[in-house]
Amino acid sequence: MNSWMAHQISNQFDELQDYNLFETDQVLQEILFRYGSQDQTRLSEMGKVVGSSEYYQYADLANRHTPILHAFDARGRRKDCIEFHPAWHKWMELNRKFDSHAYPFIHTKLSSKWVEWAARFYLSGQVECGSLCPTSMTLGSIALIQREPELWAKVGEKLLSTEYDERDLPIAQKKSIWLGMGMTEKQGGSDVRANETFAMPVAESGRGKAYLLTGHKWFFSAPMCDAHLVVAKTEQDGLACFFVPRWLEDGSKNNIHVQRLKEKVGNRSNSSSEVEFKDAWGIMMGEAGRGIPTIIEMANYTRLTCSVGSTAMLRQALVQCVAYTRQRKAFGKHLAEQPLMRAVLADLALETEAALHLSFHLANCYESDDALSLAWKRIMTPASKFWICKRAVELTGEMMEVFGGNGYVDNGIMARIFKEAPVNTIWEGSGNVMCLDVLRAIGREPESIELLFKDLASIATQDERLNHELQALFKLFHQSAEDLQFMGRSLVSRLVILAQAVLLKRYSPDYVANAFIQSRYSQFYGRVVGMLEAKQVEVDRLLERALAHVN
């Protein structure tokens, strides 16, 4: 044998690309059909674009060539400009083109508008996650700004526009704009009430009036956005929320000085920063003293985006695992034929489908303000963010392991997803904050948990295991406040798993729901992935459902 023959490559396979993310996702299509989607042709178009090798390459480039801060020009004048690789702009343009930033506010008459939005966010987030940060914050800001008529008249059309405009110019000169958020300060973190940034009225005080802000933000999300919603305290009225543009109407730069960009574990394509306000001009939004409730309304939307975004990561990693193991051979068989690997893949498929149903059920609850939808939104939005985002961190590591050493190298999508996953557990409130928010919602509106449990009972009572868990949880939620808080993570985790089981029982085929219930209510659940009972799981049907064979 010639020496060079030893270096011929065999039994090696690249990550799946050039496939339609929408057409290969049976569960997503079923969900959309159930909620009356009227735009599946458009979603198929998006799925083809996002799944193309071209956009996988754009995602890789945007995350390898990270943003660069140009704080000053060549003569020392403040510039505070952030340079992005052209691949970043491709993704931002795609999200804008397919309405991912504002779909429910553009297509207001559709009864499935929030589910349609979730599908777009979910498709995009499977390949490139960093661009979802400004997309998410822009979405979350729209409802708030719509309640400020004078401000909405100036920026509303540009927020809703589907034409991407990357230029760094005053808002009046742009075709479309993005919004970011500034809450976190060094001394407070999640405790926004500890904020020290101070806002002084220019003349009159109150809603819709101009203020000058002085202070510092330790995390200023997406500083290249055209404006940010910022929390600052006022002299007499406490904390308030302010609309703070990058440029002033006279064409000069606002006094927002970017100190540095954060060196993050993941989310590398997106810029996060520390900034100083030195009499930065802003307009008060909402009522004086209501800064936290105002900004939390935005966070309610962005917490939903965290759940959908983490579900997207689970989906992409699952697809890559299934496609890879169908090709890679070990010990004389394809990996996907090996019993132990099949147990792992089946468990990952169950987790991903459960996350998808919960995320989209929540999105649908944003369509209306009936009492049950409000109960799901108020309790299950933070609960879902806690659980799905936590599971994404664990399971993307498990999924990376399926590829062995090839998964651990830093030039493939599996490693990028693994490093990306933790951002959603932290952004918009850590796990503990989410659990506390669930408990606060129950404490303030005890009728909401009763309404939620009644809805879960409509299905749970049909299964002995689910009914037993429902009754046990209902009793536990009636403990003292201190005991509830101590058990917060346990209670919220169990609540989410029960909700997922109910949704699967309600909407998925029996072989999916039964396998999920059997495994999640086994004494071994949670120790490692893949602890399933062979006779309880129809693996072939689960894996075919997860990803039909693609060429």
Side-chain angles (χ1 to χ4, degrees), residues 159-386:
L159 279 171
L160 300 182
S161 172
T162 58
E163 185 175 359
Y164 179 54
D165 189 342
E166 67 184 75
R167 298 173 300 165
D168 188 14
L169 294 170
I171 289 174
Q173 299 178 34
K174 295 197 66 175
K175 299 174 183 177
S176 63
I177 61 172
W178 300 94
L179 259 67
M181 182 193 300
M183 286 197 292
T184 306
E185 297 185 5
K186 282 187 273 194
Q187 74 287 348
S190 296
D191 184 7
V192 182
R193 288 177 175 82
N195 278 10
E196 293 296 327
T197 297
F198 185 75
M200 177 71 72
V202 173
E204 297 179 68
S205 61
R207 186 172 191 166
K209 303 303 181 183
Y211 285 72
L212 296 179
L213 279 66
T214 300
H216 178 269
K217 294 295 177 182
W218 186 240
F219 276 94
F220 196 65
S221 295
M224 77 294 179
C225 287
D226 299 280
H228 289 75
L229 301 190
V230 175
V231 174
K233 66 179 183 179
T234 59
E235 187 171 15
Q236 295 179 328
D237 299 316
L239 292 170
C241 180
F242 297 88
F243 177 91
V244 182
R246 276 175 53 77
W247 292 82
L248 301 178
E249 291 183 355
D250 64 7
S252 63
K253 263 292 181 59
N254 205 356
N255 289 321
I256 308 166
H257 297 169
V258 182
Q259 294 183 307
R260 63 171 175 168
L261 300 184
K262 298 288 192 179
E263 290 288 339
K264 297 169 293 184
V265 172
N267 204 247
R268 304 282 290 173
S269 64
N270 177 48
S271 61
S272 303
S273 67
E274 299 167 28
V275 301
E276 279 189 344
F277 301 128
K278 297 184 175 181
D279 284 342
W281 185 91
I283 299 171
M284 183 185 286
M285 292 179 54
E287 299 297 334
R290 299 281 298 168
I292 294 177
T294 300
I295 204 75
I296 286 298
E297 182 177 341
M298 179 182 185
N300 287 336
Y301 291 111
T302 51
R303 287 172 179 176
L304 174 64
T305 69
C306 288
S307 295
V308 177
S310 289
T311 301
M313 294 183 211
L314 288 172
R315 170 64 188 174
Q316 177 63 195
L318 172 66
V319 165
Q320 295 298 341
C321 286
V322 173
Y324 184 73
T325 57
R326 285 173 176 168
Q327 301 173 87
R328 174 84 170 174
K329 286 187 175 180
F331 310 110
K333 288 183 179 180
H334 288 109
L335 288 177
E337 298 171 339
Q338 305 280 1
L340 192 52
M341 179 61 77
R342 286 163 63 79
V344 171
L345 294 174
D347 206 359
L348 296 173
L350 289 171
E351 189 77 31
T352 302
E353 181 161 347
L356 187 59
H357 274 286
L358 179 55
S359 293
F360 276 69
H361 182 79
L362 275 175
N364 186 61
C365 288
Y366 279 68
E367 296 286 355
S368 59
D369 289 330
D370 62 274
L372 180 58
S373 295
L374 289 172
W376 272 92
K377 284 192 291 185
R378 187 65 189 94
I379 297 171
M380 295 307 298
T381 297
S384 173
K385 180 192 179 303
F386 167 76

Side-chain angles (χ1 to χ4, degrees), residues 2 89 93 100 103 127 158 177 231 276 300 321 504 511 548:
N2 294 332
H89 295 296
E93 182 180 28
S100 302
Y103 193 96
V127 181
K158 299 173 191 296
I177 61 172
V231 174
E276 279 189 344
N300 287 336
C321 286
L504 291 176
Y511 68 88

